[in-house]
Amino acid sequence: MISLKDMKIQTKIIMAMVLLLIFIGLLSFWASYMHEKKSLLTNMQHNAVILNHALIISITNQKSIAEKVNLQTLVEELSLTEGIFGVWVIDNSSRITSATFREQAGEVASSYLISDALQNGYYVSGFDTKLGEQVYSAIYPLKKGNKILGAVEVAFELREYLNAQTSHRIHLAAQMKRDIRIMAESLSSSIEKMQYINELIHIQRLVDRLCAESEIISRIMIVDDNSRTIACNDLSRVGTIADDKGVKAVINGADIYTRLAPSQKIYLVDMPLRIGDEFKGVVSIGYDARDYYTHLSEIFRFGSLISGIGVLMGILLAFQVSNPIIKPIQRLTDVTKKLARGDLTVKASVSSRDEIGTLAIAFNQMAEDLARSKEEIYQYSKTLEQKVKQRTQELELSNQELREIQNELMEASMAKSEFMSIASHELRTPLTSVLGYSELLLTRDLTESQKKEFFGFINEESVLLSKIIDDLLDISRIESQKAFGFVKKPVNLADILLKDTKYYSRAEIGRRIITDMEENLPLVNADEEKIGQVIKNLIDNAIKYSPSGDIIAKAFVKDNKVWIAIQDHGIGISQKDIPHVFDKFFRVKQKETAHISGTGLGLAIVKYIVEFHDGELDIKSKLGEGTTIGFGLPVLKDRDLNE
Amino acid sequence: MNKILIVDDEEKVRKLVEITLSIGKVEILQASSGEEGLKIARETRPDIILLDVMMPGRFDGFDVCKLLKEDPATRDIYIIMLTAKGQKADKEKGFASGADDYFVKPFSPMELMEKIDKVLS
C-alpha cells in the first residue's frame, strides 16, 4: 500500500515531468526555429553578398563616380555667382543629375527648352518659371562627338531686369544673354572635359535598370563619401543624406554590413565603393526578403501548432495522470472535513480497487467505528450514570446499615461492659465469702462447729463460682460462634422436658412445676443436651423472676411444630423490653430484678440454640401477671426419619 | 460501746463481718435491704455503717448513703461503701453520694478490722 504522502509526491513528480517535457519541447522548437532562421539568413546573405560584389564591380568599372562628386561641387560653386538663380545638369533622358537645389536630383526636367535642346543638340535660351520664380534660362547641350549626352541649364534671376526701365531692359537682356551663354558654355565645356561624364550621368539609369530587371533586388542606393545619395531606385532619396546604420558603418571603415529591415521586408547589404584604393562611397543594396519572412512565418506557425498541440497534450496527460489520484483524495479530504465537524453519517465513495479505494473503504470503516464508539460511549455514560446512581443508593443504604451496625456494636459494647460489671459482681460476691471465711479459719481460734459451718460456706460459694465460670465460657463460645458441638438425632421433646423438671425439687424452689403434655408427640431432630439446656434456662428464668406460684411446663403441636412453653406468674416484662429479652447481655432493669443475679445470657443462649434447630421462639408477658416463653421445633417427617 | 451497722442482702457477707468484728468491743447491727438499713440507722444512730451497693428493694446503697448524708441527724455517721463494684466510675459515684470510705469485695477481714479500729479511735 502506498501512503498518501508518497502519492502526493508521485503526483508532483508526474506534474513536474510533464512541465519539463513541455519546456523541452518549446526549447527545441525555439532552437530549430532559430537554426532555420539563421540558415535562411546565411543563405540570403551569401547570395546578396555575391550579387553586391558583382554590382559593385560593375559600378566601379564605370569609374565615373568620382566625377559625380566634382560635378555637384561645380554646380554648387557656380550657383554662388551673383544673379544666378540656379544651375542644373540633365542627362539625355531629361533627368536631373545635379542641381543647385539638391533635392531636384533625379527629377525629370519638364521644361520645353530642355527637350528642345536635347532633341536638336543646340543652344536654347528663353524665359521660364522655376520654383514659382520668373527666370531667364539658358540650356547648352553636352556632346561627345555627335552624341548628345545631356544638357546644362543655367537660370538667371529676372528681378533686376524686371525692376529696370524698359529702355534699360534691352540692355540688360542683351548682357544677360551674353553672360548666360558664356556661363552655360563654360560649364558644359568643363563637364565635357570630365573623363567619365557619360557613365556619370548614366548611373541613375543603371540603378533603375538593375532594379527593374532583377526580381530579388528591391533597392539600390549609391552614396558618396559625404553620405549624399548619388543614385537610388527611389528617386526621392537622390541627393539626400543617407544616415542609416549600414552606410555609417561602411563610411567608418566596415568592409561589409548586413542587416534585415523587417518593416520593409528587405535584406540590406552595404559595401564600400573603392576606385583603386581610394574610398569613394557606399553601395547599399536591398534584397527582397519577403520569401524569407514568409518562409519564417510558415515555420513559426507550424512550430507553434506542433508546440501548442504538445502543450495541450501534456496538460491533458497531466490531468489524466493526476485526476484518478487527486480527485478521490480531494473527495476523501472533503468527507474527512465533514467528519471532523462531527457529521458521523458521511461516507466516502469507493470508485476504485486501488490504494485510494482501500483508503476510502478504511475511512468508511473508521467513520462507522467512530459512530459506533460514540454511541457506545453515550450508552456507556448513561449506564455509568445509572450505575453511579445505583451505587450511591447502595452506598447510602450500606452507610445506613453501617450506622445501624455501629449503633448495634456500640450497644453491644455497652452491654458487654455492663455484662463485665455484672459478671465482676457475680464473681466477687462468692469470692468475698471464700476469701473472708478462709482468712477467719486461718487466723482465729474457732470452735469445731464454726469451722464446719465456714468450710460449708466456702464449698457452696466455690460451686456457684464454678457455675458462673461455665456460663461465661458458654457465652465466650457463642460469641466466637465456633462449633458448639451439636449432635442432632430424632428425639421426643416431652422426654427431655420430663428429665429436666426432675432437677428441681419442690423443697428447693418452694413451688411446683406442673407439666401439661400432649400424648404421642411427633419426633423432632435435635441435640438432646442443648435442648435440655434451653428448657432448664427457661425454667431457671421462670423461677428467678417469679417469687411464688406454680410453674407450668407445656408440650404441644402447633403449625407443624412441636412446642415447649414455660409459664410463670411472676413480675412480668414491660412491652418495651420484650423485643430485647433474647439479646445477649440484656437484663431487665427494674428494682424488682436488681437483687437477682444473672449474666443476661440465659435467653441469648436459648435463642442461639433454637435458631440452630430451625426453630421458632414465642414470648407472651404482662407486668405483674407473669411470662410465658416457648419454642417450637419442626416436626420430623417420615422421609427425614428414613434418611 | 460503739455501734456498727452492716447493710447487705447476702447473709453470708453479713455473718462474715459480724464474726470478724466480734472480737472487738462493738455492737453489730444488721439489715438485709436499703430500706431496712435506713430505718435502723435513723433509729440507732450507729458510729459506722458498712453499706453494700447492689441490693434489692427501692433503695440501693448509693441512695441510702445520699439520704443519710442529707439528713443532719445522720450526717456524722461514718459510711464505708462495701461493694463488688470496683470500677473507678463506681468509686466516684460512691464518694459523690457522700461516702467516707470505700471497700471493694472481696475484702480481707483483717484489713476491715484495722480500718474500723482506726475510725473508732
Side-chain angles (χ1 to χ4, degrees):
Chain A
M1 171 93 84
I2 302 164
S3 79
L4 202 64
K5 198 180 167 192
D6 289 344
M7 209 128 52
K8 269 186 176 173
I9 292 167
Q10 215 176 42
T11 313
K12 278 182 182 168
I13 290 170
I14 289 165
M15 290 297 279
M17 278 170 71
V18 167
L19 284 171
L20 193 71
L21 280 170
I22 291 166
F23 179 70
I24 290 168
L26 284 170
L27 204 69
S28 63
F29 161 70
W30 181 248
S32 72
Y33 173 76
M34 289 312 284
H35 177 75
E36 196 72 19
K37 187 177 170 182
K38 197 171 178 190
S39 73
L40 269 173
L41 211 58
T42 313
N43 196 24
M44 196 160 65
Q45 192 176 28
H46 186 70
N47 287 338
V49 170
I50 290 168
L51 255 170
N52 234 28
H53 273 294
L55 195 68
I56 285 167
I57 290 162
S58 114
I59 292 167
T60 313
N61 279 347
Q62 298 194 20
K63 294 182 179 168
S64 57
I65 195 76
E67 304 300 345
K68 165 74 173 79
V69 180
N70 294 338
L71 182 65
Q72 182 64 29
T73 312
L74 197 65
V75 167
E76 281 172 12
E77 277 174 6
L78 201 61
S79 301
L80 295 172
T81 311
E82 198 193 342
I84 287 181
F85 176 75
V87 180
W88 293 264
V89 179
I90 300 137
D91 69 8
N92 55 5
S93 56
S94 300
R95 199 169 291 276
I96 298 164
T97 304
S98 295
T100 306
F101 312 101
R102 285 178 180 177
E103 63 275 11
Q104 286 182 331
E107 283 180 12
V108 174
S110 56
S111 165
Y112 70 95
L113 293 169
I114 291 167
S115 50
D116 198 12
L118 286 174
Q119 272 175 12
N120 303 317
Y122 51 69
Y123 173 75
V124 182
S125 69
F127 289 100
D128 200 354
T129 310
K130 295 274 181 196
L131 302 165
E133 186 86 18
Q134 285 256 304
V135 293
Y136 187 81
S137 213
I139 296 134
Y140 204 93
L142 289 164
K143 284 183 182 170
K144 200 143 196 191
N146 288 324
K147 198 179 178 185
I148 299 163
L149 296 172
V152 176
E153 183 179 16
V154 179
F156 267 51
E157 290 175 355
L158 284 179
R159 231 176 293 140
E160 198 190 343
Y161 168 76
L162 290 172
N163 290 341
Q165 292 172 350
T166 314
S167 57
H168 193 59
R169 273 187 185 176
I170 297 162
H171 172 70
L172 274 176
Q175 192 184 345
M176 196 165 59
K177 275 182 182 173
R178 194 180 61 238
D179 287 351
I180 205 166
R181 180 159 190 163
I182 290 163
M183 213 168 272
E185 250 184 36
S186 65
L187 182 64
S188 93
S189 122
S190 325
I191 290 167
E192 274 172 354
K193 277 176 194 157
M194 286 181 183
Q195 215 175 343
Y196 304 110
I197 190 68
N198 186 28
E199 287 79 4
L200 176 75
I201 56 173
H202 278 88
I203 280 178
Q204 183 61 38
R205 266 195 191 162
L206 178 70
V207 166
D208 286 343
R209 205 181 64 226
L210 274 170
C211 277
E213 281 174 4
S214 170
E215 281 182 4
I216 59 159
I217 295 170
S218 301
R219 194 184 92 176
I220 299 172
M221 189 163 76
I222 296 162
V223 180
D224 69 13
D225 55 354
N226 288 319
S227 302
R228 192 166 300 280
T229 306
I230 298 164
C232 183
N233 61 317
D234 177 8
L235 288 171
S236 66
R237 282 176 179 260
V238 177
T240 60
I241 300 292
D243 58 353
D244 62 61
K245 277 185 203 164
V247 173
K248 277 179 184 165
V250 174
I251 286 172
N252 287 332
D255 274 341
I256 187 161
Y257 188 91
T258 61
R259 68 187 170 95
L260 264 172
S263 57
Q264 289 148 288
K265 289 188 177 168
I266 53 172
Y267 185 69
L268 287 166
V269 183
D270 292 358
M271 289 175 91
L273 181 65
R274 287 196 179 86
I275 295 168
D277 287 335
E278 203 182 340
F279 177 76
K280 290 293 180 188
V282 182
V283 177
S284 173
I285 300 169
Y287 296 93
D288 187 0
R290 269 177 306 187
D291 276 1
Y292 163 78
Y293 278 108
T294 310
H295 198 171
L296 211 58
S297 72
E298 265 171 23
I299 289 169
F300 186 78
R301 245 176 289 157
F302 182 70
S304 300
L305 192 69
I306 295 290
S307 298
I309 288 166
V311 167
L312 270 171
M313 278 172 74
I315 290 164
L316 279 173
L317 184 71
F319 269 103
Q320 205 72 21
V321 169
S322 61
N323 244 19
I325 300 168
I326 290 166
K327 256 284 151 61
I329 290 174
Q330 237 164 22
R331 279 204 299 266
L332 211 54
T333 309
D334 290 346
V335 174
T336 310
K337 278 178 186 163
K338 274 190 195 165
L339 187 75
R341 282 196 295 268
D343 183 2
L344 293 180
T345 60
V346 292
K347 277 240 165 4
S349 58
V350 181
S351 51
S352 57
R353 285 280 147 202
D354 58 6
E355 292 84 346
I356 303 295
T358 314
L359 187 67
I361 290 166
F363 175 85
N364 287 344
Q365 186 63 43
M366 186 191 75
E368 272 174 34
D369 286 353
L370 216 57
R372 206 180 308 120
S373 301
K374 200 183 171 186
E375 181 59 24
E376 275 171 14
I377 287 166
Y378 176 69
Q379 289 296 341
Y380 185 70
S381 71
K382 268 183 99 176
T383 317
L384 204 64
E385 219 170 276
Q386 262 176 345
K387 274 186 179 170
V388 167
K389 240 185 202 168
Q390 200 181 322
R391 286 293 295 155
T392 310
Q393 281 176 349
E394 279 173 14
L395 277 172
E396 273 170 10
L397 271 175
S398 61
N399 274 347
Q400 183 65 31
E401 280 168 13
L402 277 173
R403 269 196 292 275
E404 280 168 16
I405 288 168
Q406 194 187 21
N407 286 341
E408 276 171 23
L409 278 173
M410 275 169 76
E411 278 169 21
S413 167
M414 279 164 74
K416 191 171 182 178
S417 73
E418 202 180 329
F419 159 75
M420 289 303 289
S421 176
I422 294 161
S424 163
H425 183 259
E426 296 301 311
L427 285 167
R428 281 167 191 273
T429 306
L431 264 176
T432 306
S433 294
V434 172
L435 200 71
Y437 287 109
S438 60
E439 197 180 299
L440 287 178
L441 281 166
L442 285 168
T443 58
R444 297 282 174 88
D445 290 326
L446 300 165
T447 64
E448 280 305 309
S449 67
Q450 268 185 321
K451 280 182 188 170
K452 203 174 178 182
E453 192 189 9
F454 291 178
F455 278 124
F457 289 157
I458 291 167
N459 184 48
E460 270 174 41
E461 296 302 287
S462 299
V463 170
L464 180 61
L465 273 174
S466 173
K467 191 183 178 295
I468 293 167
I469 288 163
D470 280 349
D471 258 6
L472 290 173
L473 286 173
D474 269 357
I475 294 152
S476 172
R477 282 201 204 98
I478 291 166
E479 277 255 282
S480 60
Q481 301 209 338
K482 278 176 185 165
F484 213 64
F486 286 82
V487 184
K488 284 186 191 174
K489 59 180 182 185
V491 290
N492 191 333
L493 290 180
D495 295 344
I496 301 168
L497 181 63
L498 281 171
K499 210 171 161 187
D500 272 350
T501 54
K502 281 177 188 165
Y503 282 104
Y504 303 93
S505 65
R506 189 174 174 183
E508 203 180 327
I509 61 170
R511 61 196 114 168
R512 289 179 298 174
I513 296 175
I514 300 161
T515 52
D516 173 13
M517 297 183 287
E518 282 180 13
E519 284 182 11
N520 300 319
L521 280 173
L523 298 178
V524 295
N525 200 27
D527 183 314
E528 207 170 341
E529 193 192 330
K530 297 301 168 195
I531 291 298
Q533 195 187 341
V534 168
I535 295 168
K536 255 192 275 180
N537 281 5
L538 291 177
I539 294 172
D540 282 345
N541 267 11
I543 295 165
K544 215 188 262 180
Y545 295 103
S546 63
S548 62
D550 291 338
I551 288 158
I552 300 159
K554 290 178 188 167
F556 57 92
V557 176
K558 188 186 160 193
D559 297 338
N560 224 21
K561 283 190 178 80
V562 180
W563 287 84
I564 300 287
I566 309 297
Q567 186 183 359
D568 67 47
H569 298 87
I571 54 172
I573 304 163
S574 68
Q575 290 301 305
K576 80 171 166 60
D577 286 338
I578 286 176
H580 302 291
V581 293
F582 293 105
D583 290 353
K584 285 179 219 167
F585 310 114
F586 179 81
R587 294 190 78 215
V588 173
K589 287 171 185 171
Q590 287 172 229
K591 286 290 177 191
E592 294 92 327
T593 63
H595 70 288
I596 301 167
S597 66
T599 58
L601 284 163
L603 289 181
I605 291 167
V606 165
K607 188 188 178 199
Y608 183 81
I609 293 168
V610 169
E611 280 179 356
F612 193 82
H613 283 86
D614 302 317
E616 200 180 325
L617 287 162
D618 187 37
I619 179 166
K620 289 187 185 79
S621 186
K622 203 169 178 189
L623 277 175
E625 285 181 16
T627 304
T628 302
I629 300 176
F631 68 93
L633 301 187
V635 170
L636 190 66
K637 287 165 189 153
D638 291 347
R639 183 164 45 83
D640 297 332
L641 204 60
N642 293 338
E643 280 170 4
Chain B
M1 191 109 140
N2 293 313
K3 277 183 258 181
I4 295 171
L5 173 62
I6 166 87
V7 186
D8 199 309
D9 60 326
E10 282 284 331
E11 199 204 337
K12 288 189 189 82
V13 177
R14 290 200 303 273
K15 192 163 188 173
L16 178 66
V17 174
E18 187 192 357
I19 291 163
T20 303
L21 303 175
S22 64
I23 52 167
K25 291 174 178 172
V26 288
E27 189 188 343
I28 305 293
L29 304 167
Q30 292 186 27
S32 63
S33 71
E35 283 166 76
E36 196 187 354
L38 203 57
K39 192 186 164 208
I40 295 168
R42 279 169 182 161
E43 285 169 359
T44 61
R45 307 264 177 105
D47 300 289
I48 296 167
I49 299 174
L50 293 171
L51 188 57
D52 186 22
V53 175
M54 285 178 78
M55 288 180 294
R58 277 173 62 198
F59 306 117
D60 67 4
F62 294 130
D63 298 331
V64 173
C65 182
K66 211 174 171 185
L67 286 165
L68 291 174
K69 287 292 176 186
E70 278 170 2
D71 186 352
T74 55
R75 187 189 289 164
D76 296 331
I77 300 169
Y78 195 89
I79 296 174
I80 300 170
M81 301 301 292
L82 196 64
T83 178
K85 290 200 157 192
Q87 282 162 310
K88 201 187 168 193
D90 297 324
K91 269 191 182 177
E92 279 170 3
K93 200 177 170 188
F95 286 120
S97 62
D100 298 288
D101 218 329
Y102 209 94
F103 251 75
V104 178
K105 291 177 185 173
F107 57 90
S108 160
M110 302 293 278
E111 278 178 29
L112 180 68
M113 218 168 72
E114 280 166 23
K115 184 83 195 171
I116 286 171
D117 284 347
K118 212 174 171 183
V119 172
L120 291 174
S121 58

